[in-house]
Amino acid sequence: MASKDRMEADMICQLEKFTKSFSLRIDGYSLIQHVQLPKNQLVVATFDLAGHSWILRFSQSFAACNASQRNYCRNFHITLHLSLLTQTKTLVFLEVDFSLLDHSESCWSEGNIFKLGNEAPPVLSGRSRGKIFKLEDDVSAELCISRSEFMSKFLKDGSFMLKCTVDLVKPVCVGARNKRVLVPSSDFSQSANCGHFIHLWNTGEGADVAFKVSEEIITAHKEVLAMRSPVFRAQFFGPMIDSKSDCIAIEDMKPAIFRLMLQFVYTDNVALQEELSFEMAQHLLVAADRYSLERLKLICEEKLSASLDVEMAATTLVLAEQHNCEQLKEICLDFVASREKLQAVIASDGFSHLMESCPFILKDLLAKLDSERRN
């Protein structure tokens, strides 16, 4: 019988949200400040989000004035246009939001690094919602400002700065619900250390080791880490211990991922596990494998297996192969080998990555295709 809390289905389509926030400084603006710019002419940024590459273009237009009056025109419009650089067969929904940053604020002194926790309240902003299906589509956000205000408050040494946020929602369609990674139930609550570990995680009392992740310092407790991870145990109490190290540098990992991993170490859980994004699950799986946290690996595998689509299937297959995720690998092979999805997966950018990084997986894929044909 189906659960009252969660409806069961033979097929699942999950809507997933991805967000990217960044600052953008445009230098040398004085060279073009009197020019009306068509929307597709000035490329100001490119970035990756949700498995796609995106291009951001800038345009401006002058309100109710002719060419001879532009220097004195009272209002003009600034517009950002967001469009795809890589093709997609999936409809995606976007919300683009940008704000001009007052050059008197401290964020100007930090160059292109924008600290969201210290941002100034947006004085002027533009926002737009839309959908993208093909390369020619774009979503545009616009704001209108008087030239005198723009020159006095937002332009500094021929430059101005924007804060941009892009929210993206796309459907992630998966197959039958039984094609999922099995995650064993946690027995952590039965442990005598459970309450103590959770208290240490919440308070940080008595932390005796520090990690430098990017530019952030994160503290923890050696004994807790050693009890939960054989890698940490060897690092802190093994024969190769470096007792002189006051701060351990963590390479190739984002602070948010390292914190999520530590949270699991202390609690055997990942906060808001249901809302863990596909991209974060990928990074967290790599971290879990690095520190031999097998149950965390399976949690990430379950998330990835539940969110497979044709654009990410090949990339996920490579990840599963590189980090010895047998259940996830089998599910990816089943997904790719299905008659309805094979051609779309082959056409994806991820399949090119698979061919370059793990060409030997083709043997497993051919065996799976042969099995599908026989069945």
Side-chain angles (χ1 to χ4, degrees):
M1 181 178 292
S3 167
K4 294 181 180 179
D5 297 324
R6 187 180 182 92
M7 295 182 294
E8 299 291 349
D10 294 321
M11 303 293 288
I12 302 169
C13 181
Q14 179 177 330
L15 297 179
E16 192 157 346
K17 182 178 180 179
F18 303 82
T19 299
K20 189 175 187 72
S21 293
F22 57 94
S23 64
L24 170 66
R25 190 172 72 197
I26 298 180
D27 293 332
Y29 175 73
S30 57
L31 300 174
I32 60 165
Q33 62 180 336
H34 303 308
V35 179
Q36 295 213 135
L37 296 170
K39 71 177 184 180
N40 292 323
Q41 295 304 310
L42 189 64
V43 175
V44 292
T46 59
F47 60 89
D48 294 328
L49 178 64
H52 302 291
S53 294
W54 299 88
I55 186 168
L56 197 62
R57 296 180 172 94
F58 169 84
S59 68
Q60 64 183 13
S61 60
F62 304 90
C65 59
N66 57 43
S68 64
Q69 297 173 318
R70 281 179 190 160
N71 287 342
Y72 310 99
C73 181
R74 182 166 182 76
N75 294 321
F76 74 110
H77 300 270
I78 295 175
T79 309
L80 292 184
H81 311 266
L82 184 64
S83 54
L84 274 169
L85 272 176
T86 51
Q87 186 61 276
T88 177
K89 296 177 175 63
T90 304
L91 184 68
V92 297
F93 299 87
L94 292 172
E95 181 173 295
V96 181
D97 193 343
F98 76 98
S99 305
L100 280 167
L101 300 183
D102 190 324
H103 62 63
S104 65
E105 299 297 335
S106 60
C107 59
W108 263 94
S109 63
E110 297 165 3
N112 285 342
I113 301 174
F114 187 78
K115 295 185 177 179
L116 296 178
N118 300 323
E119 64 182 274
V123 178
L124 287 165
S125 62
R127 175 176 294 178
S128 181
R129 294 175 179 171
K131 58 184 183 294
I132 283 185
F133 182 68
K134 53 187 183 296
L135 295 176
E136 296 79 11
D137 296 339
D138 71 50
V139 173
S140 303
E142 179 183 281
L143 65 81
C144 181
I145 183 176
S146 71
R147 178 171 294 279
S148 60
E149 184 180 15
F150 176 75
M151 300 287 284
S152 63
K153 295 184 66 173
F154 303 105
L155 194 64
K156 179 181 180 181
D157 299 328
S159 304
F160 66 94
M161 189 178 285
L162 304 166
K163 175 224 170 168
C164 306
T165 299
V166 180
D167 290 321
L168 179 152
V169 175
K170 75 173 186 176
V172 181
C173 300
V174 298
R177 64 177 181 271
N178 58 348
K179 297 288 186 180
R180 301 281 285 269
V181 172
L182 299 177
V183 181
S185 299
S186 173
D187 58 1
F188 193 66
S189 61
Q190 310 301 320
S191 168
N193 294 311
C194 172
H196 180 56
F197 284 2
I198 293 174
H199 173 76
L200 291 177
W201 170 251
N202 290 332
T203 65
E205 291 178 1
D208 57 358
V209 64
F211 299 92
K212 184 177 183 181
V213 191
S214 293
E215 296 303 316
E216 294 191 31
I217 302 298
I218 301 172
T219 59
H221 304 79
K222 288 182 180 179
E223 288 195 8
V224 176
L225 302 186
M227 289 179 68
R228 299 279 284 152
S229 162
V231 176
F232 280 127
R233 184 163 58 249
Q235 184 174 9
F236 297 139
F237 302 108
M240 302 302 291
I241 181 174
D242 182 5
S243 59
K244 297 180 181 179
S245 178
D246 295 326
C247 189
I248 300 170
I250 302 296
E251 305 291 341
D252 304 321
M253 193 180 302
K254 297 178 180 178
I257 298 300
F258 191 75
R259 281 198 197 88
L260 276 177
M261 185 193 73
L262 287 187
Q263 179 194 58
F264 175 84
V265 167
Y266 283 81
T267 67
D268 211 44
N269 242 317
V270 179
L272 301 178
Q273 184 177 326
E274 298 80 4
E275 299 179 16
L276 188 68
S277 73
F278 193 90
E279 183 179 3
M280 289 191 74
Q282 290 177 310
H283 290 298
L284 193 55
L285 185 149
V286 175
D289 186 46
R290 179 171 170 178
Y291 290 98
S292 297
L293 299 167
E294 292 304 318
R295 186 169 178 275
L296 180 58
K297 263 183 73 173
L298 290 173
I299 288 173
C300 296
E301 289 182 55
E302 195 277 336
K303 172 66 179 180
L304 296 174
S305 70
S307 305
L308 281 180
D309 63 16
V310 295
E311 294 178 19
M312 298 304 296
T315 302
T316 306
L317 180 55
V318 171
L319 188 72
E321 175 66 23
Q322 291 175 337
H323 296 279
N324 302 307
C325 305
E326 291 302 321
Q327 291 188 68
L328 181 60
K329 177 181 176 180
E330 189 65 23
I331 290 170
C332 288
L333 286 171
D334 284 340
F335 185 96
V336 174
S338 65
R339 186 175 303 176
E340 301 84 3
K341 302 180 181 73
L342 179 61
Q343 291 301 320
V345 173
I346 290 175
S348 69
D349 292 337
F351 194 80
S352 301
H353 173 59
L354 183 150
M355 294 290 291
E356 292 172 3
S357 57
C358 299
F360 46 85
I361 293 183
L362 289 178
K363 180 179 178 181
D364 297 324
L365 181 56
L366 289 172
K368 181 66 68 174
L369 287 169
D370 184 59
S371 174
E372 289 288 318
R373 181 183 61 82
R374 292 176 185 275
N375 290 336

